Amino acid sequence: MKPIYSKAQLGYMKAKTQFEKQAVFLEKKLEDTRKTQEISQEVMEGLVQTTGFHDAYNNLVLAENELIEWSHTTMKHEKTYRENRIAIDDMYLKLNSDPKMRAHIIDLAMKIR
């Protein structure tokens, strides 16, 4: 049976896929550009903009934030949350200062059904 995803989960999956595609495209452009010129910061910034990588990254961050917010709201209705509220809320407080915690919360949010 096919899993049913929330709007936030679907948005995240779409943004992540687009980001990964743009990253591959950027890598290809970097390889091609490296053959003809040195990659300076200015050149790199231009490639990031022209390949759409910057927009894809921004969209991914927005989708992650929406997913995190959705998961925290959804989780509050679960018995497990009520029993472990302090620990779970502490995880969410750390998400902006700890990249590993942010990734962990996103992984957990994608497992919510």
Side-chain angles (χ1 to χ4, degrees):
M1 190 157 104
K2 200 173 186 181
I4 299 172
Y5 293 105
S6 72
K7 181 181 175 186
Q9 289 170 317
L10 290 171
Y12 170 74
M13 290 186 319
K14 181 179 177 184
K16 184 178 178 187
T17 300
Q18 185 62 36
F19 175 78
E20 290 168 347
K21 285 180 184 177
Q22 294 309 121
V24 169
F25 185 55
L26 175 61
E27 275 296 317
K28 176 83 171 100
K29 283 293 211 179
L30 273 170
E31 287 176 24
D32 293 345
T33 304
R34 196 172 278 129
K35 293 174 185 174
T36 61
Q37 68 187 60
E38 183 179 327
I39 304 295
S40 65
Q41 181 176 347
E42 187 177 301
V43 170
M44 184 64 166
E45 288 173 0
L47 289 172
V48 165
Q49 288 293 330
T50 58
T51 59
F53 182 79
H54 181 73
D55 292 335
Y57 173 78
N58 287 338
N59 290 338
L60 178 61
V61 171
L62 290 173
E64 286 177 350
N65 291 340
E66 185 178 327
L67 177 66
I68 289 166
E69 184 179 326
W70 168 83
S71 70
H72 199 198
T73 301
T74 301
M75 195 179 298
K76 288 181 179 180
H77 302 291
E78 299 295 322
K79 181 181 176 188
T80 307
Y81 173 80
R82 290 189 294 270
E83 293 170 353
N84 300 297
R85 182 177 177 193
I86 294 171
I88 293 171
D89 285 345
D90 187 48
M91 283 176 44
Y92 279 89
L93 288 174
K94 292 179 183 175
L95 72 94
N96 290 321
S97 60
D98 183 353
K100 289 181 182 178
M101 185 60 71
R102 183 177 178 88
H104 184 63
I105 290 172
I106 290 169
D107 285 341
L108 291 174
M110 289 305 294
K111 294 177 183 175
I112 297 173
R113 298 285 178 251

